[in-house]
Amino acid sequence: MYWDHWSLNRVLILFVGLAFLLIGIQVTLYHYRQNFHNKVMWMPVVGSPIFFVAGVILVWYNAAWLHTLFIVLMWIGAVAGMIGLYFHVRGVGIRVGGFALRNFMTGPPVILPMVFTAIAVLGLIAAYWKEA
């Protein structure tokens, strides 16, 4: 039920939780700036705080059900990031001039959804990590 020590996966879960807090703030600012014109923009805004809370609680209380919940949430986060990548690349492409460098610089940030997915995948690695 409780953790024995600060193992690598425990530290990584804490890092992932805190990273979702920070990236959630950034995503909220970007999507608020765009007036949430697409409903799918709410997913990372609502999901990030949930991922943060689940990760931080899991760091302090290692219950099996919470571990399973964290894994499910990280899978949702990874898929949501890939969906976000699609919408961000599409958003760049529909701007005047298409996939020109200036549209990548001023349009939706294409890297941010990939970071969202990468953090979720790191959470999955930490959750599935088995120490020898």
Side-chain angles (χ1 to χ4, degrees):
M1 172 132 354
Y2 294 102
W3 293 89
D4 293 332
H5 62 286
W6 281 90
S7 58
L8 178 61
N9 57 338
R10 186 177 182 191
V11 172
L12 285 176
I13 290 169
L14 178 61
F15 174 82
V16 166
L18 294 173
F20 271 116
L21 173 66
L22 298 175
I23 198 169
I25 293 167
Q26 186 63 56
V27 166
T28 301
L29 293 172
Y30 277 138
H31 288 179
Y32 177 77
R33 183 177 70 182
Q34 294 299 318
N35 295 320
F36 294 96
H37 69 270
N38 192 332
K39 287 183 174 113
V40 77
M41 295 171 105
W42 282 100
M43 192 286 148
V45 171
V46 173
S48 293
I50 295 169
F51 302 161
F52 161 69
V53 169
V56 170
I57 292 173
L58 180 58
V59 165
W60 298 110
Y61 185 67
N62 189 21
W65 69 270
L66 195 53
H67 190 265
T68 303
L69 175 66
F70 184 76
I71 289 172
V72 169
L73 290 174
M74 291 302 99
W75 277 110
I76 291 170
V79 171
M82 297 305 292
I83 293 169
L85 177 63
Y86 164 76
F87 280 108
H88 281 224
V89 169
R90 183 173 162 261
V92 169
I94 63 174
R95 294 173 70 91
V96 175
F99 294 105
L101 178 61
R102 64 182 160 79
N103 288 339
F104 280 99
M105 293 172 52
T106 60
V110 176
I111 300 299
L112 200 56
M114 290 189 281
V115 171
F116 198 88
T117 296
I119 292 171
V121 169
L122 182 61
L124 287 170
I125 291 169
Y128 285 118
W129 186 275
K130 301 289 183 210
E131 293 195 27

